[in-house]
Amino acid sequence: MKVTRRYSFSASHRLHSAQLSDEQNREIFGKCNNPFGHGHNYILEVTVRGAVAPDTGIVVNLQSLDQVVRDQVLTRYDHRNLNSDVPAFATVPPTTENLTTEIRNGLRANWPPAFPPLERIRIYETDRNIFEESVS
Amino acid sequence: MKVTRRYSFSASHRLHSAQLSDEQNREIFGKCNNPFGHGHNYILEVTVRGAVAPDTGIVVNLQSLDQVVRDQVLTRYDHRNLNSDVPAFATVPPTTENLTTEIRNGLRANWPPAFPPLERIRIYETDRNIFEESVS
Amino acid sequence: MKVTRRYSFSASHRLHSAQLSDEQNREIFGKCNNPFGHGHNYILEVTVRGAVAPDTGIVVNLQSLDQVVRDQVLTRYDHRNLNSDVPAFATVPPTTENLTTEIRNGLRANWPPAFPPLERIRIYETDRNIFEESVS
Amino acid sequence: MKVTRRYSFSASHRLHSAQLSDEQNREIFGKCNNPFGHGHNYILEVTVRGAVAPDTGIVVNLQSLDQVVRDQVLTRYDHRNLNSDVPAFATVPPTTENLTTEIRNGLRANWPPAFPPLERIRIYETDRNIFEESVS
Amino acid sequence: MKVTRRYSFSASHRLHSAQLSDEQNREIFGKCNNPFGHGHNYILEVTVRGAVAPDTGIVVNLQSLDQVVRDQVLTRYDHRNLNSDVPAFATVPPTTENLTTEIRNGLRANWPPAFPPLERIRIYETDRNIFEESVS
Amino acid sequence: MKVTRRYSFSASHRLHSAQLSDEQNREIFGKCNNPFGHGHNYILEVTVRGAVAPDTGIVVNLQSLDQVVRDQVLTRYDHRNLNSDVPAFATVPPTTENLTTEIRNGLRANWPPAFPPLERIRIYETDRNIFEESVS
């Protein structure tokens, strides 16, 4: 069974790659390259996959999951500027693709051994743009 | 092609396992263990998978699917107390994990032979908690 | 300016009036009168109306508002059975109309004097049923 | 990584199959067979699957994707009558199953070689009816 | 107290006014003037305003309200072509403004005397276009 | 009749008032005062109120309304940093209260004389925080 829990956080970013010229940055990122940045209400879905325990009838304790997500995601990204506040985005552009990978890596590296496996994370940047990465 | 149809029903439950002590129940289920229960507007998604019939252009007749879901799910769970009204939850706690399995089993056991296969069911307990089980 | 903040809570209830016969209860409340009750994910909107303070640029501090709503609403109703856990519903049926009035009265009686006036509360019982009461 | 982008368009259709009798059409399609048709606000999700480019941090340029979807989908279906305005539906009924296949075929046949592969399309006919087809 | 209930129906229309030239129609209505029409999933909100009855705790019986809306709205507009199926739109264009007025008039003229007053109707043509008319 | 149209834009901001000490800023704005800011997907609703024109059946031409909102709102705020990119927020904090007033003032000052009156604007900062101001 797959169990998914949704979280939300608000952050700002500017899409700009140090590996590209200013002109290329403007061409590729358009208004997302505006110099002072912009922001989003991101929605994060974390999915775990496991068996239902016969005595409790649950796959994972959601309070415990919340604690992991709070430590690894919300305290790091919520009400933050991704470019300035998150070390990983000092060198790579804080696209939602890279944010998805960064969150996936952070959760995977700190996943409690007692938990059922992390299956997938999905981030809604806006109602229209959705990014998803499996964990394997 | 996968065709998914959404249904909704309102029910109440109390999470409590007879296999656990009162203290364990409170620790694991938290406020969901409150003695008189609480409730949710559940959303159910039923997904079938099949070929599109050349003459009708459909995979499954949704009126027929509605009839099956009405008989197997809505009349049993809508505006009910899962603990008191559903025999299966006399012995196992009515977590949404177990509810998902129970609904999946009920649909699978009563699935019309003429229907394309039932692929998956998904239940939204709240906007934030989503449970999904494949049928195979 | 009107500022509205949304909250959610999950509760169960059975619609049954001690002033009506069993037959009348079944006729008026239908499946909402089922003996063991059912439940909902309620959404509560609290609206205040006031001027924007020139120094802070805000109408009301939302953290302070959250504290009031937590004390007066969420700790009393969230993950509760309205009939059994809420004294007010020992004598009147816990319809969402009466719940709206009860919450309005509780907020009004405990409204901090420093706050801008409470303007209105609105409750979504489901996506389809919405109840709203002004405060005056 | 999977990247999904949502689009919307409004169209009308009448479900009627030339391969069926009038009575069969009414029986199978019900009110969807009403002679003058009806309509929907369709939501289309287009999913691509690919690697994140190290320099840009993106999987696909969404402005470029928008251009393809505009040419192949929106200019053909938005504010149109599927039966009368879309040649493909002169011979097959414009069910959302067939619409899904038609859009998938149009995107696949005109998919820019430089793009990461088209993975899946999904169409919401209403909030309750969802159709999904993989591309392979 | 205001009680609002939501309904949905799917219909098609073509915006075209017999009082305007073809060129004016195209200029004013744009793609909504396309000759074969298009359609929407309309959402209708019906709001009544009244006192809460002390014995039942309700403002209006929603099953009774549903019956009125079914007779006056859903059977007339759901899965219909507004231009061809609704007599009122033989002479005025079926804009959602006119549809709102038409539904308001139909409800008002057939409003059960025992009901609390009809306060307002609101129609969502799409997620972005909302029309509202008070009843007085 | 009231006609409402929804728009969306993404922007970043930092809540900080030059009239308050750093400690007061942190106390009042909490994490919204984080030094590098954060952001939101704002939703804007613009409501006009007017009579339905008998020949066209509309209250206001939505394409014309879109043009005004594009000029006065979207080009100024979308994908911008409110603190750095919007002159008005050089001196007052870019709370959503002040943003609402700023947008209202901009629309009111540039409202086409031929338009029906602007009635109200509403901004959703997140799904939970909603700000509304009448125009009179």
Side-chain angles (χ1 to χ4, degrees), chain A residues 17 19-20 27-30 93 95-98 100-101 127-134, chain D residues 1-7 45 49 52 54-63 66 120:
Chain A
S17 171
Q19 299 175 251
L20 302 172
E27 188 188 326
I28 291 173
F29 295 123
T95 57
T96 305
E97 284 93 336
N98 281 336
T100 302
T101 300
D127 285 349
R128 298 191 56 200
N129 296 345
I130 311 167
F131 303 80
E132 178 183 321
E133 201 166 25
S134 294
Chain D
M1 183 171 298
K2 291 183 194 168
V3 178
T4 297
R5 190 153 162 89
R6 294 191 134 202
Y7 302 88
E45 291 184 358
R49 178 180 211 144
V52 180
D55 53 347
T56 60
I58 65 173
V59 167
V60 63
N61 188 304
L62 294 180
Q63 295 166 318
D66 286 356
R120 184 186 70 207

Side-chain angles (χ1 to χ4, degrees), chain B residues 3 11 25 27 32 39 47 53 56 64-65 70 73 77-79 88 100 102 108-109 113 124 132:
Chain B
V3 178
N25 270 295
E27 188 189 327
C32 299
T47 300
T56 61
S64 305
L65 178 60
R70 202 177 305 123
V73 181
Y77 301 107
D78 187 31
H79 282 76
T100 302
E102 185 68 16
R108 189 165 52 177
Y124 296 73
E132 179 182 320

Side-chain angles (χ1 to χ4, degrees), chain B residues 5 56 58 61-63, chain D residues 12-17 25-40 42 83 93-97 125-126 129 131, chain E residues 10 78-81:
Chain B
R5 189 152 163 89
T56 61
I58 66 174
N61 187 305
L62 294 179
Q63 295 166 318
Chain D
S12 56
H13 66 170
R14 181 205 182 192
L15 299 189
H16 186 89
S17 170
N25 270 295
R26 277 193 298 272
E27 188 188 327
I28 292 173
F29 295 122
K31 60 188 177 182
C32 299
N33 183 243
N34 282 351
F36 302 110
H38 60 283
H40 300 291
Y42 295 91
N83 304 62
T95 58
T96 304
E97 285 92 336
E125 181 186 64
T126 66
N129 296 345
F131 303 81
Chain E
S10 296
D78 187 30
H79 282 74
R80 298 288 178 185
N81 178 304

Side-chain angles (χ1 to χ4, degrees), chain C residues 3 6-8 14 21 26 34 46-47 51 70 75 77 81-82 84 92 107 121 123:
Chain C
V3 179
R6 293 191 134 203
Y7 302 89
S8 60
R14 181 206 181 192
S21 71
R26 277 192 297 271
N34 282 352
V46 176
T47 299
R70 202 177 304 122
T75 60
Y77 302 107
N81 178 304
L82 300 181
S84 305
V92 299
L107 288 174
I121 76 161
I123 299 186

Side-chain angles (χ1 to χ4, degrees), chain F residues 22-39:
Chain F
D22 283 3
E23 195 182 326
Q24 287 175 310
N25 269 296
R26 277 192 297 272
E27 188 188 327
I28 291 172
F29 295 123
K31 60 188 178 183
C32 299
N33 184 243
N34 282 351
F36 301 110
H38 60 283

Side-chain angles (χ1 to χ4, degrees), chain A residues 1-7 45 52 54-63 66, chain B residues 17 19-20 27-30 93 95 97-98 100-101 127-133:
Chain A
M1 184 170 297
K2 293 182 193 168
V3 179
T4 297
R5 189 152 162 88
R6 295 192 131 202
Y7 303 88
E45 290 184 358
V52 181
D55 53 347
T56 62
I58 65 174
V59 166
V60 62
N61 187 305
L62 293 180
Q63 295 166 318
D66 286 355
Chain B
S17 170
Q19 298 175 253
L20 303 170
E27 188 189 327
I28 292 173
F29 296 122
T95 58
E97 285 92 336
N98 281 336
T100 302
T101 300
D127 284 349
R128 297 190 56 201
N129 297 344
I130 311 168
F131 302 81
E132 179 182 320
E133 201 166 25

